[in-house]
Amino acid sequence: VLRSEDNLSCRLLTDAGDFLMYAAIRLEAHRADFHLYDPNCHKELFNQERPAFTMSYNGSKDTWRLVQERCSACQYLSPSRSCAAHGKQQMAVIKHKQHVVGEGISNIMEVIIPGLYQDDTCVVWCPMLGMGDLADAEAGNGESQTLITRKPVWNEQVQSLVLDFKGRNIVSSAKNFQLALRQKPQHVICQYG
């Protein structure tokens, strides 16, 4: 990650140094814009007003919403007939809070994402397809999935919160986390650390 001096934008690169994505924070709009073109190398393709994805957040910064700016279900429709003016295709809703565990404080996330159909195709969470707010999706209906943070436990011996990464060699950090499906909390499907 290459950050700007003001920390309001960054370029995500592969290990080999190839460009992956550009992100810019728009404080006045309470959002981060994600672009697939590098403004330094592809000026003719880069348009600051047309990000691929946008992540907005509320005033208390505890709820974040990721939307795809050009919906896969509406991409060939005129703007007036697409979801662009009706909330856009929702990709994820992330809720954040803190929880006291022993003598420590654990950061907890709940991530709501569109589900998968039985044929392994993704649910497209588009308001033009009759989908409401992803944050209000009913758990267990199959159209959405909820990921939850596996909570660490307080370890008296080391006087710290600990989380089992199953033999992985990790650096201790408050930023480490594991996500699991709500209905299978012991089955980790995403981890950072």
Side-chain angles (χ1 to χ4, degrees):
V1 176
L2 298 176
R3 290 177 178 33
S4 64
E5 286 187 30
D6 62 5
N7 281 331
L8 294 179
S9 66
C10 66
R11 293 170 66 235
L12 180 62
L13 308 175
T14 66
D15 289 338
D18 297 324
F19 175 81
L20 286 175
M21 188 177 291
Y22 172 78
I25 304 289
R26 298 181 73 172
L27 295 173
E28 73 289 349
H30 290 258
R31 74 179 204 218
D33 293 342
F34 299 91
H35 299 268
L36 302 180
Y37 297 107
D38 188 342
N40 297 336
C41 300
H42 299 105
K43 292 180 183 176
E44 69 284 355
L45 297 173
F46 179 80
N47 182 342
Q48 181 177 339
E49 300 306 317
R50 297 203 55 193
F53 299 94
T54 299
M55 182 175 278
S56 59
Y57 54 91
N58 63 1
S60 56
K61 296 182 183 174
D62 62 1
T63 303
W64 300 70
R65 182 179 312 275
L66 180 67
V67 298
Q68 183 171 331
E69 290 294 309
R70 283 168 288 291
C71 172
S72 56
C74 298
Q75 63 187 345
Y76 300 113
L77 298 175
S78 66
S80 63
R81 294 181 55 217
S82 76
C83 66
H86 304 282
K88 302 181 179 139
Q89 180 182 349
Q90 296 180 52
M91 306 301 286
V93 173
I94 301 108
K95 299 176 182 181
H96 176 265
K97 61 185 175 182
Q98 293 185 323
H99 185 261
V100 175
V101 179
E103 296 177 33
I105 296 176
S106 174
N107 292 312
I108 304 293
M109 280 189 291
E110 177 183 83
V111 181
I112 306 164
I113 58 174
L116 293 172
Y117 292 116
Q118 290 197 344
D119 65 358
D120 288 333
T121 60
C122 296
V123 174
V124 176
W125 210 275
C126 170
M128 301 308 283
L129 298 175
M131 300 302 220
D133 188 352
L134 185 56
D136 299 330
E138 290 183 36
N141 69 358
E143 290 195 323
S144 68
Q145 295 287 330
T146 302
L147 307 174
I148 58 170
T149 303
R150 290 198 60 221
K151 294 178 184 171
V153 294
W154 181 258
N155 184 309
E156 284 294 334
Q157 185 177 2
V158 295
Q159 291 291 298
S160 179
L161 293 172
V162 295
L163 191 58
D164 185 6
F165 278 81
K166 306 285 186 209
R168 282 191 61 201
N169 201 7
I170 63 163
V171 176
S172 296
S173 171
K175 295 177 184 177
N176 294 348
F177 66 87
Q178 295 176 332
L179 293 175
L181 287 171
R182 173 171 276 154
Q183 65 269 30
K184 294 182 180 179
Q186 297 305 316
H187 181 73
V188 175
I189 61 169
C190 174
Q191 62 186 7
Y192 177 82

